[in-house]
């Protein structure tokens, strides 16, 4: 420092050089802070939200892989039935052509068989494209689209829903559905956010202590000094006014809470609909499969009868229509079995019980 002039005699004069060393320690321990308590509770809810979100994504993945796997099987069945129908129509076409050329059959029979052959051939190309698309969809999700696919066993046990009460399954879904749980956690997070913002009006209390040491090699008075200070106490802070910011944030949080509440109600209605649909589909699939099985046996008898009765009792078109109806009901039967399995998995997903154990049980139904 350079003291150029001073009217006070106790001050030094001239130039002087000295060091000043300061060190200290500050400690602060909150005793009461409602905002921090609410932040901790909110963090626990957010962690629970993330856990349920992960389980929901896992369940959705299991269901999607199963759906696409069964879609490949359905496309394979459709392709096989289409090949058989093409072979049957081509055989009928050859027979009609042979009879027409031998002048013992009608030309119209041959033309009808020829037109039907063109139609089923086009359907066969479409079935092949559907199979390729289904395999590609499987590759998209699993990376193994060209793997071999096991067929469903011919005889599988079709179990009805137990208990056979729709209200039971809806109540179970309201308690255990992962999507409902996820929305409940989202509502809880919004609730704690609103309460946390409301806590801004509450005071905070903290215990503090401060130690400070200052060693000064000189001063305006010309002498050195070393001073230690120790301060401790309890500090109370309370916000009086923030220009309306806190109230605006609280209102915003309240609106978000109401939005999450409405989203929860919508999710519960959606889960109710999904549970009802899966329950009814599962029960109706059993009756549908039994009816289609009887329909296949009856239609096979119709085809056999009309083939034997052609051309004396039945026209070529009647034979072709009977064969078309046979393969149509066979397609419906195969699809109904896959629909039964999917309905069973969707019902379990709706009530939050779909997991790897269910897929292991499903694997036992394949060759």
């Amino acid at each position: 420092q350079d003291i150029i002039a001073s009217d006070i005699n106790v001050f030094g004069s001239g130039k002087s050089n000295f060091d000043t060393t300061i060190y200290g320690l500050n400690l602060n321990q909150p005793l009461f802070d409602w905002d921090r308590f609410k932040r901790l509770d909110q963090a626990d809810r957010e962690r629970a939200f993330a856990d349920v979100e992960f389980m929901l994504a896992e369940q959705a993945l299991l269901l999607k892989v199963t759906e696409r796997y069964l879609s490949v099987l359905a496309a394979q069945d459709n392709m096989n039935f289409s090949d058989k129908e093409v072979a049957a129509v081509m055989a009928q076409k050859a027979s009609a052509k042979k009879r027409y050329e031998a002048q013992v059959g009608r030309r119209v029979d041959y033309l009808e068989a020829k037109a039907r052959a063109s139609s089923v051939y086009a359907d066969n190309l479409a079935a092949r494209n559907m199979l390729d698309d289904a395999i590609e969809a499987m590759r998209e999700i699993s990376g193994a689209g060209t793997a071999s696919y096991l067929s469903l066993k011919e005889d599988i046990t079709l179990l009805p829903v137990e208990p056979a009460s729709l209200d039971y399954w809806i109540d179970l879904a309201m308690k255990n559905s992962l999507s409902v749980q996820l929305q409940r956690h989202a509502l809880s997070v919004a609730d704690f956010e609103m309460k946390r913002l409301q806590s801004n009006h509450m005071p905070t209390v903290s215990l503090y202590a401060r130690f400070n040491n200052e060693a000064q090699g000189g001063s305006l008075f010309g002498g050195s000094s070393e001073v230690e200070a120790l301060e401790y106490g309890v500090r109370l802070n309370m916000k009086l006014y923030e220009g309306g910011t806190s109230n605006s944030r609280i209102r915003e949080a309240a609106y978000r809470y109401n939005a999450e509440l409405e989203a929860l109600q919508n999710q519960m209605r959606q889960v109710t609909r999904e549970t009802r649909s899966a329950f009814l589909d599962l029960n109706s699939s059993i009756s549908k499969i039994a009816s289609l099985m009887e329909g296949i046996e009856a239609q096979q008898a119709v085809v056999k009868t009309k083939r034997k009765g052609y051309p004396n009792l039945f026209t070529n078109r009647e034979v072709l229509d009977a064969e078309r109806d046979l393969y149509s009901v066979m397609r419906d039967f195969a699809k109904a079995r896959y629909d039964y399995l999917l309905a069973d998995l969707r019902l379990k997903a709706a009530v939050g019980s779909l997991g790897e154990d269910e897929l292991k049980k499903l694997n036992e139904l394949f060759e």
Side-chain angles (χ1 to χ4, degrees):
Q1 66 182 8
D2 185 5
I3 301 176
I4 298 175
S6 176
D7 293 334
I8 302 175
N9 295 328
V10 295
F11 280 7
S13 61
K15 295 182 178 181
S16 61
N17 297 302
F18 54 86
D19 296 330
T20 298
T21 302
I22 301 174
Y23 65 90
L25 177 65
N26 295 317
L27 301 176
N28 188 74
Q29 174 60 52
L31 300 179
F32 176 81
D33 192 332
W34 193 248
D35 178 74
R36 297 192 183 189
F37 292 144
K38 289 303 175 184
R39 284 181 184 272
L40 178 61
D41 291 337
Q42 189 178 23
D44 291 337
R45 299 307 187 279
E46 291 175 349
R47 182 179 60 183
F49 177 89
D51 290 340
V52 176
E53 190 175 30
F54 176 81
M55 290 188 292
L56 184 62
E58 186 178 40
Q59 179 178 269
L61 179 62
L62 294 177
L63 189 60
K64 181 178 289 187
V65 170
T66 304
E67 288 177 345
R68 296 198 177 182
Y69 189 93
L70 295 180
S71 295
V72 173
L73 296 186
Q76 285 182 341
D77 290 342
N78 186 48
M79 185 68 200
N80 293 333
F81 295 142
S82 180
D83 290 340
K84 292 179 181 179
E85 185 176 6
V86 168
V89 171
M90 295 301 293
Q92 192 68 20
K93 174 186 174 183
S95 175
K97 181 179 180 181
K98 184 177 180 180
R99 290 180 58 82
Y100 169 66
E101 292 176 347
Q103 297 183 354
V104 294
R106 300 183 306 166
R107 183 172 183 270
V108 67
D109 288 343
Y110 168 66
L111 294 178
E112 287 177 348
K114 184 177 181 180
R116 184 64 59 86
S118 299
S119 176
V120 296
Y121 182 72
D123 292 340
N124 185 264
L125 293 177
R128 193 176 304 277
N129 291 336
M130 289 178 59
L131 176 58
D132 291 340
D133 184 69
I135 293 176
E136 187 62 29
M138 192 66 190
R139 180 186 291 110
E140 175 188 357
I141 195 172
S142 68
T146 57
S148 59
Y149 295 88
L150 302 180
S151 300
L152 195 63
K153 292 179 180 179
E154 291 295 330
D155 296 326
I156 61 174
T157 303
L158 304 179
L159 299 176
V161 184
E162 289 293 340
S165 170
L166 178 58
D167 292 336
Y168 168 84
W169 290 99
I170 291 178
D171 291 340
L172 189 62
M174 292 300 100
K175 295 177 183 177
N176 300 329
S177 170
L178 293 180
S179 57
V180 173
Q181 291 184 38
L182 185 68
Q183 195 56 48
R184 286 196 178 115
H185 284 301
L187 179 65
S188 179
V189 171
D191 179 47
F192 273 90
E193 175 66 12
M194 183 172 58
K195 292 179 180 179
R196 184 187 69 81
L197 292 174
Q198 291 172 346
S199 69
N200 286 336
H201 295 293
M202 300 187 67
T204 61
V205 181
S206 60
L207 175 67
Y208 75 94
R210 180 169 57 244
F211 170 78
N212 190 68
N213 179 285
E214 182 176 346
Q216 193 166 0
S219 68
L220 291 176
F221 297 96
S224 62
S225 65
E226 182 177 1
V227 179
E228 285 187 352
L230 176 63
E231 180 183 357
Y232 57 90
V234 176
R235 181 180 290 113
L236 172 67
N237 289 327
M238 187 171 185
K239 297 179 181 179
L240 298 179
Y241 183 67
E242 285 188 311
T245 302
S246 295
N247 291 333
S248 297
R249 289 175 178 173
I250 291 173
R251 286 196 299 270
E252 180 185 3
Y255 293 145
R256 290 180 179 176
Y257 174 83
N258 291 332
E260 294 294 349
L261 180 60
E262 184 66 25
L264 174 60
Q265 294 173 351
N266 290 336
Q267 189 63 50
M268 293 175 68
R269 287 193 290 267
Q270 179 180 342
V271 170
T272 299
R273 177 181 58 81
E274 292 173 352
T275 304
R276 180 188 300 274
S277 177
F279 178 88
L280 297 177
D281 288 346
L282 188 57
N283 279 332
S284 62
S285 293
I286 298 177
S287 301
K288 184 177 181 180
I289 290 172
S291 298
L292 290 172
M293 185 178 297
E294 295 177 357
I296 290 176
E297 295 176 356
Q299 194 62 34
Q300 286 175 337
V302 170
V303 171
K304 185 177 181 180
T305 300
K306 289 188 175 182
R307 282 177 178 172
K308 287 184 177 180
Y310 172 77
N312 298 324
L313 300 177
F314 301 102
T315 65
N316 193 46
R317 174 178 291 183
E318 290 176 314
V319 175
L320 294 174
D321 288 345
E323 291 175 344
R324 179 191 59 195
D325 293 341
L326 172 61
Y327 291 111
S328 177
V329 72
M330 292 176 70
R331 289 187 183 93
D332 292 341
F333 173 75
K335 186 176 183 301
R337 298 208 305 167
Y338 300 137
D339 290 342
Y340 166 82
L341 298 178
L342 283 178
D344 182 57
L345 293 182
R346 289 192 179 110
L347 182 60
K348 290 180 172 62
V351 299
S353 63
L354 178 60
E356 293 185 8
D357 291 340
E358 299 299 329
L359 291 189
K360 291 179 180 178
K361 295 178 182 178
L362 181 62
N363 279 337
E364 297 175 358
L365 303 179
F366 292 88
E367 297 290 353

